Amino acid sequence: LGGGLVCLEGGKFTRFGASEGIPGDIVAALYADRAGRLWAGTSGQGLSLLSGNGFVRAPGSAALATRSVRSLVEDGDGTLWVGTETGLFRFSEGEARALPGETGLANDAILALAADSSGLWIGTESSGVKHLAAGTVTTYGEEEGLPHERVWSLAVDRDGNLWIGTDGGGLARLHHGALTTFDTHNGLTND
């Protein structure tokens, strides 16, 4: 929250902020892709990429220049997905493009992303979890058993379960299409 990015290497801390190329000092998302590139999403300043000893604005990311990048993930095809406060972007072939409005992902803040062999998992601020596969979006919200519509975090475990951290509803697990909730009744310190 205003301190930029700090790297610990060889017992020494190195700070990366505006003077090191990150256009904003609030880094909201960080992702290392399979090619070894380090991406940094900033609050209101778009997407940066580590290049040499500093960061540069990610080439082809003009569509993200004034957006708050909240989440990043790479899918099995090597596409980088970018979650912002105003929707989901696909970064491929050197350019960031917003997903079309008909996907239902154009106006909600994307707070969390995860990818597995089934597709892309999308955690939203107000409409639960979305699953994008082959151009089709499936929603998992309160009607489907999700304990809260605001999703802070997503993780896929080695058994293929999707773990969903919510804001006020506890932790949920999606296993073979069924949602199970773990909350203070199961021993969490809060929901």
Side-chain angles (χ1 to χ4, degrees):
L1 294 177
L5 178 64
V6 179
C7 176
L8 173 62
E9 184 175 25
K12 180 182 173 195
F13 288 99
T14 303
R15 181 185 178 277
F16 294 91
S19 61
E20 291 79 28
I22 293 181
D25 282 337
I26 298 176
V27 177
L30 195 60
Y31 189 78
D33 68 16
R34 287 188 301 252
R37 297 174 295 194
L38 184 63
W39 302 84
T42 61
S43 182
Q45 300 292 321
L47 186 64
S48 296
L49 181 62
L50 182 61
S51 177
N53 293 326
F55 282 82
V56 297
R57 189 170 300 277
S61 68
L64 300 166
T66 60
R67 300 190 191 276
S68 291
V69 174
R70 306 263 182 103
S71 52
L72 299 162
V73 75
E74 184 179 22
D75 68 15
D77 295 331
T79 297
L80 182 70
W81 292 91
V82 181
T84 74
E85 82 286 3
T86 57
L88 184 65
F89 286 74
R90 179 186 177 128
F91 195 94
S92 65
E93 300 173 7
E95 187 175 0
R97 295 180 188 93
L99 256 60
E102 63 267 16
T103 61
L105 297 167
N107 296 316
D108 203 350
I110 309 301
L111 303 179
L113 293 168
D116 64 13
S117 60
S118 73
L120 182 68
W121 296 98
I122 304 152
T124 70
E125 184 171 47
S126 61
S127 57
V129 174
K130 310 278 187 175
H131 183 242
L132 177 62
T136 301
V137 177
T138 304
T139 300
Y140 296 88
E142 289 177 356
E143 283 185 19
E144 291 75 25
L146 190 66
H148 199 283
E149 297 285 334
R150 181 175 291 153
V151 175
W152 288 116
S153 58
L154 296 171
V156 178
D157 68 20
R158 67 182 77 185
D159 296 325
N161 297 302
L162 177 68
W163 292 90
I164 306 161
T166 70
D167 179 21
L171 179 66
R173 180 186 67 195
L174 183 63
H175 177 73
H176 298 298
L179 283 160
T180 304
T181 299
F182 303 92
D183 56 20
T184 54
H185 297 100
N186 304 99
L188 289 181
T189 56
N190 66 55
D191 293 338

